[in-house]
Amino acid sequence: LDDEDQALLGGETLDKNHAYSQKPVGVLAVVGRPNVGKSTLVNRILGRRAAVVEDTPGVTRDRVSYDAEWTGTDFKLIDTGGWEADVEGIESAIASQAQIAVGLSDAVVLVVDGQVGITSTDERIVKMLRESGKPVILAVNKIDDTNSEYLAADFWKLGLGEPYGISAMHGRGVGDLLDVVLDTLSKAKKTSGFLTPTGLRRVALIGKPNVGKSSLLNELAHEQRSVVNDLAGTTRDPVDEVITIGDEDWLFIDTAGIKRRLHKLSGAEYYSSLRTQAAIERSELALVLFDASQPISDQDLKVMSQAVDAGRAIVLVFNKWDLMDDFDRQRLERLWKTEFERVTWAQRVNLSAKTGWHTNRLLSAMSTALESWDQRVPTGKLNSFLGRIQAAHPHPLRGGKQPRILFATQASTRPPRFVIFASGFLEHGYRRYIEHQLREEFGFEGTPIQISVHIRE
Ligand code: GDP
Ligand code: GDP
């Protein structure tokens, strides 16, 4: 391995004891009324990274939180550009947008339109932001050249301090804005809860509305509910809840969000997706719930993909089993072979939150998935294994040459990530073969595996 390879591996290996391979300095929300340029700004900040997200097949496109980076510092970015005002009107839509984004963030960038000037909607957003108590940075967008800089000054009137004139479209002033953002984030009180460490294993209960999340939580909690706030040394986020299953304590994330029924607000799908994403970000394990008595929908599968793409351990829970007849069971078995092909490595628990039937099976599935998520294969063992499978089934010739695996190592856990150095391009099918064999040999039940291949000439 040369220095470059070492550097590639080193950063991540150091973090093996942490749930997050990066340590973002905080969470930033970008808010503002429609058409001021929020999405343009978010794309500008993400730069090439956004393109990478879009180009990866199977990765959900409508993500709402992103890993962003500026001058070597990582932060999380929440994009609220995805909502559309519906029948309930723009006011309530903006209110919910701001409320949720702000609730999840440590600092906020309010984007306004310099060419339009201050609007009454801007003023109302400012009022809500003030009540939140979060630090606010004011970005006056569409200041495309020096001649229009004077337009930004008018926004001092909003009382948020210095207005930063930017052009999201051309990049003008965005660097200076980000310097201020990072400075603010590093000083901000970390209230987002996104990254709060606790000693407990963190579980997100996810699934589209009405699959039975609240019911399952209630069933698991029985009478032994305790608000996390009361426990010393754990997160102070009041929406989390500690639930004892078997004799282990688990931190269930974002349960208040589920109970509050935010998805009933305007822009329902968008908000529930934002909630889901936030819960996944903070979790180690996702319990993905389905209503087994109903057809499996795209939304069901999307929620599942969000968890897999985020690299979380998962357990698939088919709820409402008490309603199932033979016909339903056959329908589900057929779906299992098609719609769930991507997650055949996941454990599946059929249960009824209503009657409590089989809820006792969750514990072992959850523990197994997390053990897999944490599992590390020693480098020596990995390489001798790869040598064996390569001998048994060599990569097909490409242009008369035989691409070979030269060396591999598991760069990180949570989820397991393997870096393979090869003498030539490894086809998709061959990567699938490697993943399949890895699972056969080492288990990894319940966790996604990531494999990246680097070509050494
Ligand atoms: P959002 O609804 O707040 O996410 O706004 P968009 O990012 O979709 O932008 C709304 C419109 O403003 C689009 O037509 C953009 O091309 C335009 N826009 C965004 N940023 C700038 C800018 O810096 N200068 C100018 N002149 N137009 C911009
Ligand atoms: P959530 O929106 O995912 O939190 O779903 P809820 O927990 O509110 O459940 C939605 C509906 O499904 C409620 O009427 C529940 O009583 C019902 N429900 C939940 N779990 C079960 C179950 O296992 N069996 C049956 N028959 N109904 C269930």
Side-chain angles (χ1 to χ4, degrees), residues 207-216 258 261 263 319-323 351-355:
K208 71 174 190 195
N210 286 319
V211 292
K213 296 182 294 296
S214 313
S215 307
L216 181 60
I258 295 162
R261 304 304 172 120
H263 51 255
N319 188 30
K320 308 199 188 180
W321 209 261
D322 55 297
L323 300 177
L351 55 74
S352 167
K354 191 175 175 186
T355 66

Side-chain angles (χ1 to χ4, degrees), residues 1-10 13 379 383 406-411 419-422 454 456:
L1 290 186
D2 60 22
D3 286 350
E4 191 190 323
D5 297 339
Q6 291 289 6
L8 188 76
L9 301 174
T13 318
T379 303
N383 282 286
L406 305 172
F407 176 77
T409 186
Q410 183 174 346
V419 178
I420 292 176
F421 296 90
H454 295 270
R456 303 250 69 101

Side-chain angles (χ1 to χ4, degrees), residues 1-288:
L1 290 186
D2 60 22
D3 286 350
E4 191 190 323
D5 297 339
Q6 291 289 6
L8 188 76
L9 301 174
E12 306 237 10
T13 318
L14 283 177
D15 273 343
K16 63 174 183 287
N17 294 320
H18 296 97
Y20 301 95
S21 54
Q22 300 174 348
K23 295 222 181 27
V25 66
V27 183
L28 179 76
V30 177
V31 305
R33 58 187 183 77
N35 281 318
V36 292
K38 295 181 298 299
S39 310
T40 310
L41 178 61
V42 166
N43 283 334
R44 166 72 53 185
I45 295 173
L46 295 175
R48 240 161 19 105
R49 285 163 178 245
V52 171
V53 172
E54 296 291 318
D55 288 349
T56 312
V59 172
T60 32
R61 266 143 207 272
D62 44 356
R63 289 188 50 168
V64 288
S65 94
Y66 299 92
D67 296 322
E69 182 262 348
W70 175 243
T71 56
T73 306
D74 295 317
F75 61 104
K76 292 234 172 235
L77 187 62
I78 300 180
D79 177 12
T80 64
W83 65 274
E84 275 165 35
D86 63 8
V87 284
E88 286 181 54
I90 189 168
E91 288 297 321
S92 75
I94 288 180
S96 327
Q97 171 209 19
Q99 186 196 341
I100 294 173
V102 168
L104 296 170
S105 70
D106 302 310
V108 177
V109 165
L110 170 62
V111 184
V112 293
D113 188 329
Q115 294 180 1
V116 170
I118 297 175
T119 70
S120 57
T121 310
D122 291 336
E123 282 168 344
R124 266 178 292 232
I125 299 176
V126 168
K127 189 161 167 283
M128 277 181 287
L129 293 178
R130 262 216 199 89
E131 283 161 8
S132 78
K134 302 269 158 113
V136 180
I137 301 138
L138 177 60
V140 183
N141 191 30
K142 310 196 187 177
I143 305 294
D144 296 337
D145 51 40
T146 14
N147 291 339
S148 44
E149 242 159 40
Y150 73 98
L151 291 170
D154 197 40
F155 288 85
W156 278 100
K157 287 186 199 142
L158 286 177
L160 290 173
E162 180 169 356
Y164 294 92
I166 63 164
S167 170
M169 192 179 256
H170 305 295
R172 195 170 179 275
V174 174
D176 291 346
L177 177 75
L178 288 175
D179 287 342
V180 178
V181 162
L182 285 190
D183 190 48
T184 308
L185 275 181
S186 63
K187 289 177 187 149
K189 233 171 64 198
K190 297 301 179 303
T191 46
S192 67
F194 250 79
L195 312 159
T196 327
T198 79
L200 302 177
R201 307 239 67 166
R202 297 186 298 274
V203 185
L205 197 55
I206 59 175
K208 71 174 190 195
N210 286 319
V211 292
K213 296 182 294 296
S214 313
S215 307
L216 181 60
L217 190 76
N218 284 326
E219 171 61 27
L220 292 173
H222 295 299
E223 297 306 314
Q224 40 108 0
R225 255 190 190 166
S226 60
V227 174
V228 181
N229 260 356
D230 300 342
L231 299 176
T234 55
T235 164
R236 301 192 60 77
D237 189 334
V239 303
D240 294 343
E241 215 162 341
V242 174
I243 290 176
T244 312
I245 308 177
D247 50 10
E248 255 183 86
D249 286 342
W250 301 79
L251 187 68
F252 276 71
I253 285 165
D254 198 33
T255 53
I258 295 162
K259 280 177 273 174
R260 263 190 239 126
R261 304 304 172 120
L262 277 160
H263 51 255
K264 300 247 162 74
L265 294 174
S266 58
E269 266 221 43
Y270 170 70
Y271 294 117
S272 85
S273 162
L274 178 60
R275 274 277 165 203
T276 303
Q277 184 77 34
I280 290 170
E281 295 281 351
R282 295 185 51 215
S283 72
E284 300 175 296
L285 169 81
L287 287 181
V288 189

Side-chain angles (χ1 to χ4, degrees), residues 424-453:
F425 184 80
L426 299 184
E427 282 168 8
H428 181 68
Y430 203 74
R431 294 178 195 215
R432 289 281 304 265
Y433 165 70
I434 294 171
E435 174 175 349
H436 187 77
Q437 296 300 317
L438 276 170
R439 290 185 180 281
E440 289 271 299
E441 179 82 6
F442 302 108
F444 291 118
E445 192 173 19
T447 183
I449 295 180
Q450 297 169 355
I451 298 176
S452 52
V453 179

